[in-house]
Amino acid sequence: MDREITCIECPTGCTVNVAVEDGKAVRVDGFGCRRGRDYAIAEVEHPVRLLTTTVPACGLAVRMVPVRTSRPIPRDMRTQAMEAIRQVRIRRAVKVGDVIIENLLGLGVDVVATREVV
Ligand code: SF4
């Protein structure tokens, strides 16, 4: 199977073609530099995404606090991650970058606030 991936590592946006066999990249063409080649291989073999969402707040100035993962997480763990985040309520003032969930699902990634709320 061939996959066509748009590299997002720089504004050039090269179209990288990846031949995939058994979930592995076996041939990569079209990249403008090594960064794009590595990005396309990772996108095929181990895709990751930053997860952004909101967490309900109790007793604060807003009802929802925007949060995101501190680093990208495996794309196929997004549903589990959302389930874990859904269990949380924020009951204290937070600053940007405050950890809301430490070590989400044991991934070594935190969930942090992206807005100050008092
Ligand atoms: S392959 Fe290199 S030049 Fe092309 S978009 Fe990706 S980072 Fe930019």
Side-chain angles (χ1 to χ4, degrees):
M1 178 182 72
D2 283 359
R3 294 247 336 248
E4 195 173 88
I5 292 172
T6 302
C7 178
I8 58 169
E9 293 288 309
C10 89
T12 305
C14 296
T15 299
V16 184
N17 298 299
V18 184
V20 184
E21 286 180 16
D22 297 326
K24 296 282 179 201
V26 294
R27 195 189 68 249
V28 187
D29 304 308
F31 51 89
C33 69
R34 187 188 173 105
R35 218 158 41 126
R37 177 183 159 275
D38 293 348
Y39 171 80
I41 292 171
E43 189 64 12
V44 166
E45 297 184 354
H46 309 287
V48 293
R49 295 289 184 273
L50 268 183
L51 181 63
T52 61
T53 184
T54 54
V55 171
C58 300
L60 300 177
V62 297
R63 295 176 59 184
M64 305 295 283
V65 178
V67 298
R68 69 166 172 78
T69 51
S70 56
R71 287 187 291 116
I73 64 171
R75 195 174 63 188
D76 60 5
M77 294 197 71
R78 282 181 302 183
T79 302
Q80 282 175 267
M82 285 302 295
E83 279 298 316
I85 293 169
R86 249 194 291 275
Q87 310 304 315
V88 174
R89 299 290 180 272
I90 296 176
R91 301 175 192 280
R92 60 175 170 82
V94 292
K95 296 189 298 267
V96 173
D98 278 0
V99 174
I100 306 301
I101 302 174
E102 195 172 332
N103 193 19
L104 177 68
L105 302 174
L107 293 169
V109 172
D110 297 332
V111 174
V112 298
T114 59
R115 177 182 169 185
E116 181 169 328
V117 177
V118 294

